[in-house]
Amino acid sequence: ILSGKEEAIGGWITTNLLLEKFQHRQHKSSGQFNSTMVGVLDLGGASTQVTFNVSLVICFSFDIFKYPVPLYSDPPQINHRKPIPKAYTTEIKLFDRAYEPYARSYLCWGKSEALKRHRAYLLNWQIRRNATLISSPPDIYVWDPCFPRGLN
């Protein structure tokens, strides 16, 4: 069984190998970062993995709840920078070159988990609108605006 981080890195390696993005030992380059490499977003059933190669080990910290941004506006300029935590990067060596991709797995943010949360929200909304549903039989019809009409 793979951890979420291992799954993320495996998908990133596979994608970049298939697209021939890794620099092989016969290629001369000035550094380890290849700007043509692609990042990978893997939407699974139970989790989502995000992986990409980083050239600078600096990221901007932005807390949307601390700095609310109105819709259709530019994000506020924040001068707070911090290093990417080592827990989200892994040094790997392929074709005699070192890479340090950012890899993070977000458990419970997959497609199936999102559908479960969506259905739970719809059921709770229906019960709040009609409290007598709690005492009715266990089969409750809940309308889902995302499904075609007539689909049960």
Side-chain angles (χ1 to χ4, degrees), residues 40-59:
V40 176
L41 298 172
D42 179 5
L43 177 64
S47 62
T48 295
Q49 285 78 31
V50 179
T51 315
F52 55 89
N53 197 21
V54 291
S55 61
L56 299 174
V57 188
I58 293 177
C59 68

Side-chain angles (χ1 to χ4, degrees), residues 4-14 49 51 89-90 92 101-103:
K5 187 175 183 179
E6 292 168 335
E7 184 180 355
I9 291 172
W12 177 78
I13 291 171
T14 302
Q49 285 78 31
T51 315
T89 61
T90 300
I92 55 175
Y102 169 91

Side-chain angles (χ1 to χ4, degrees), residues 13-27:
I13 291 171
T14 302
T15 302
N16 282 288
L17 274 173
L18 290 172
L19 295 173
E20 299 178 353
K21 298 293 184 177
F22 284 108
Q23 297 174 354
H24 297 280
R25 63 182 78 121
Q26 66 267 22
H27 292 111

Side-chain angles (χ1 to χ4, degrees), residues 36-101:
T36 65
M37 294 186 92
V38 297
V40 176
L41 298 172
D42 179 5
L43 177 64
S47 62
T48 295
Q49 285 78 31
V50 179
T51 315
F52 55 89
N53 197 21
V54 291
S55 61
L56 299 174
V57 188
I58 293 177
C59 68
F60 292 93
S61 175
F62 182 74
D63 186 350
I64 195 162
F65 299 108
K66 193 173 182 183
Y67 305 100
V69 180
L71 196 58
Y72 304 114
S73 71
D74 293 329
Q77 297 300 315
I78 299 171
N79 294 323
H80 178 75
R81 292 191 279 176
K82 63 181 183 177
I84 293 174
K86 283 291 183 190
Y88 302 130
T89 61
T90 300
E91 188 172 321
I92 55 175
K93 195 167 187 178
L94 295 167
F95 307 110
D96 293 333
R97 295 197 183 273
Y99 298 91
E100 194 173 2

Side-chain angles (χ1 to χ4, degrees), residues 78-142:
I78 299 171
N79 294 323
H80 178 75
R81 292 191 279 176
K82 63 181 183 177
I84 293 174
K86 283 291 183 190
Y88 302 130
T89 61
T90 300
E91 188 172 321
I92 55 175
K93 195 167 187 178
L94 295 167
F95 307 110
D96 293 333
R97 295 197 183 273
Y99 298 91
E100 194 173 2
Y102 169 91
R104 186 146 183 208
S105 181
Y106 296 90
L107 192 58
C108 296
W109 285 97
K111 180 202 164 286
S112 299
E113 293 296 318
L115 185 58
K116 285 180 191 176
R117 285 194 306 273
H118 172 71
R119 289 180 176 166
Y121 171 81
L122 291 175
L123 181 61
N124 286 327
W125 178 77
Q126 192 76 13
I127 290 171
R128 280 194 311 271
R129 287 185 62 219
N130 186 356
T132 60
L133 290 175
I134 296 172
S135 61
S136 64
D139 293 335
I140 300 172
Y141 173 75
V142 178

